[in-house]
Amino acid sequence: MITIIPEAPDNVAAFNATGEVTKEDFEKLVIPRVKEKVDQFGELNYLLYLDTDLDNFTMGAWLEDLLLGIKNLAKWNRTAIVTDKEGVQNFTDIFSVLMPGEFKSFPKENLYNALYWCKNGNEVEV
């Protein structure tokens, strides 16, 4: 299931993924929210807080996520993946070299720093 993170800055489409994530989650929530942000700001700042295993994403969810990426390829600005899974963190860092925009991973305890980075492009001084 995907839900919107309500404390996200206005220019960030931020989502929390828990349990099973389906194609419908993307169709009914993620894609409309992303479109709204791109239309409003002309770019996409995206945050995904992974509170579930990647195995819980259905094939339809992966395909919708891929289509979302392709459709908005030129609009990606900053993307934060918040997770404690080292493999996902490494993949995000490698993926950032291949995609336009900036991609960065953050550990779960740094959610608010990730939101700040998505909004501003820099991190909070700790």
Side-chain angles (χ1 to χ4, degrees):
M1 174 172 153
I2 292 183
T3 56
I4 291 172
I5 297 175
E7 350 23 348
D10 286 343
N11 70 331
V12 179
F15 305 96
N16 183 27
T18 59
E20 184 182 61
V21 177
T22 66
K23 176 182 177 183
E24 289 76 23
D25 291 324
F26 279 86
E27 290 175 342
K28 293 179 180 171
L29 185 69
V30 176
I31 292 171
R33 183 75 167 189
V34 164
K35 182 181 180 335
E36 173 188 315
K37 296 298 180 183
V38 169
D39 289 349
Q40 186 176 2
F41 295 99
E43 64 185 13
L44 179 57
N45 296 311
Y46 181 90
L47 180 139
L48 181 60
Y49 185 93
L50 277 174
D51 207 14
T52 189
D53 288 329
L54 293 181
D55 294 347
N56 289 329
F57 279 68
T58 66
M59 183 56 73
W62 283 117
L63 291 175
E64 287 299 320
D65 189 41
L66 176 64
L67 290 173
L68 174 71
I70 292 169
K71 187 175 181 182
N72 292 289
L73 193 61
K75 302 293 183 181
W76 288 95
N77 187 40
R78 282 183 291 278
T79 300
I81 305 298
V82 182
T83 180
D84 286 338
K85 306 264 186 232
E86 191 174 321
V88 176
Q89 292 172 347
N90 293 337
F91 177 79
T92 301
D93 296 338
I94 292 167
F95 193 67
S96 68
V97 176
L98 305 173
M99 287 287 289
E102 298 176 74
F103 285 71
K104 191 169 182 161
S105 63
F106 291 84
K108 285 184 177 180
E109 69 267 12
N110 288 353
L111 171 60
Y112 291 102
N113 200 13
L115 287 165
Y116 186 87
W117 176 80
C118 276
K119 177 184 178 187
N120 300 299
N122 53 10
E123 296 183 47
V124 177
E125 296 290 327
V126 183

